[in-house]
Amino acid sequence: MEDVKRAYDLLKLLIAVSGLAVMRDSIYYQWLRGHFFLPIVGFAAMVLRIKSAFAPAFSEVHNFNSSTVHTIALPPSLLSRLLFILSPSPLAPQYTPYLTLFHDILALLILYNTIQAVRHLRRLQWHTLNSRVKGVVFNAIRQAGPVRRKLEAETRALEASLERSLRPPGWNKGSYTGGGRRSLPTEGLAAEALLREMEGFVAKEERKWKGGWVSGAVYGGEEAVGNLMGRAVALYALANPLHPDLWPSVMKFESEVCGMVCRLVDGGDPDVVGCLTSGGTESILLAVKASRDRAWAEKGVGKAEGEIVACVSAHAAVHKAADLMGLRLVLVPMDQTTYQLDLSAMEAAITASTVLLYASAPTFAQGAIDDVAGVSRLGGKYGVSVHVDCCLGGFILPFARRAGFSDLPTVDFSLPGVTSMSIDTHKYGYAAKGTSVLCYRSKAVRRYQYFCFPSWTGGLYVTPTLAGSRPGALSAACWAALMHVGESGYIERAGAVLRTARRIAQGVREGIPGIRLLGTAPAMIVCVGGTNGLDIYGVGDRMSKKGWNLNSLQSPPGLHLCCTLRHVGREESFLQDLREAAGEALEEIREGKTEKDKGSIKGNAAIYGMAATLPAGPVNEMLGTYTDCVLKS
């Protein structure tokens, strides 16, 4: 009977320990999803079911004196009360030490799990948790009949509004091929007629960006470079880098592009290597994959346990990477004056599970250049990979000093902790859209990004990037652009862009009523916010009416202009329009009027205003509706 009692106790203890481990993970993962009550209720029900099933057969088990339990890690009374564990009667003397040791080990495991749970709770990002809890509530109530019908009506209205915005009346008027086509033409259409129609589309669409009205988007647009790339694309329209045996020249283009870009940032280290990707997002995704796999291979950090530490200002692509790869993204705050990441907060967030530290040079929103040297030191100190998102700055920062801007920091592999850098050739490299270079400190680190599958029935399979087949035409166009512009051309262009951005930033500093500069605008991005109660999104809508296409930002609300070659010489025009737009908004405030009073909230002012007050669920609905409209055929 004593052996049965002891077996019963051990069974309950094992259940309790495993239950606590599940609860620990559930508190961390499931709580964020709003389902924290499920594992707790499930665990309690499981214990009670087992206890009730065994209790009738072993009723005297419950009469044991709990004072006979002796453990090192926890007081006996606490252990037995918390875990429903009753002290077993002594076995034969030769078994008692082993059983006591077993209990002590289990108690220590429970204590460890409890500490881990507390640590995770302490590191919860409560603002994110708050938003997710609101999202859970939204998802619960949206199923109610009246609420569902109201949401469906609002979604249809939003979709119709977006349709009018994205496809205004007459946008496809006079089309030779027709509009809204959903099937192939019965007979193939003449090539010349198709080209004429495409030329008509281009003539309409290029007016805005050629005139320098658009933030970012088109970074060069020079006719000579465009014509060169167009001819290169035509020559290599069928080329595929997946088959270097068929197109060895494409392999030459890609290797030379990587070599040229790596030399810009290698800091004198000849071991720095690169890989051509489809853009900044893919470069960031691959950098995250490489850091995750490296941590698994070199430090034993489980692929599902890894954490990325980044600033709230990090590009959305790192959120996408964490989501796709099942990693936890730990966000640290930014300085509210410089908008750089908080280095001390980043260090405090590093744990044994950290696989990557992420820095930006510059950030997309406010254009701040993070303290990359400081992040590099943290990477070296804790043995963690460091990625620098230099997608925007890759063809500006390396040439800045030679263009006369000695105040910009050095951001390259001369910083010993930097493991990888992403640099977009299709931005200030002036290549065709669809190319970026991901640079690594060494070939050994780069190998962690590869996907190898040796047991495929189709043969040995390996790809360096996410895609299998890729357009060799873009690789050829990128190579041609870099070779054509050359070092002196990039120095000249970098200087022109930086001078333009600093002139605009200085104009804001000198004083535009209602407008303030967000950050220090060290490079190509000028970001502004509102003061004196000014709604910056309303100013953005007024700028849109004047022809400008600016980026709307949130947390904090703002607008930014990403300066390109198209803005060179347009500095005063932009500043004048910004003064007028802000002045109009301030005048209405003085008159006691608001956009809301007039019932005319629309455009970005309406969309971002709603997003600031709604939980993630409804905002995701809006974003999904927008994307449906974009993809609608």
Side-chain angles (χ1 to χ4, degrees), residues 538-549:
V539 173
D541 283 345
R542 286 178 170 83
M543 291 291 282
S544 295
K545 293 174 184 176
K546 294 177 181 293
W548 294 95
N549 188 315

Side-chain angles (χ1 to χ4, degrees), residues 6 68 70 88-104:
R6 198 169 298 278
T68 59
H70 301 289
S89 298
L91 281 175
Q94 64 268 29
Y95 297 116
T96 301
Y98 299 108
L99 186 60
T100 302
L101 177 62
F102 182 63
H103 272 220
D104 289 338

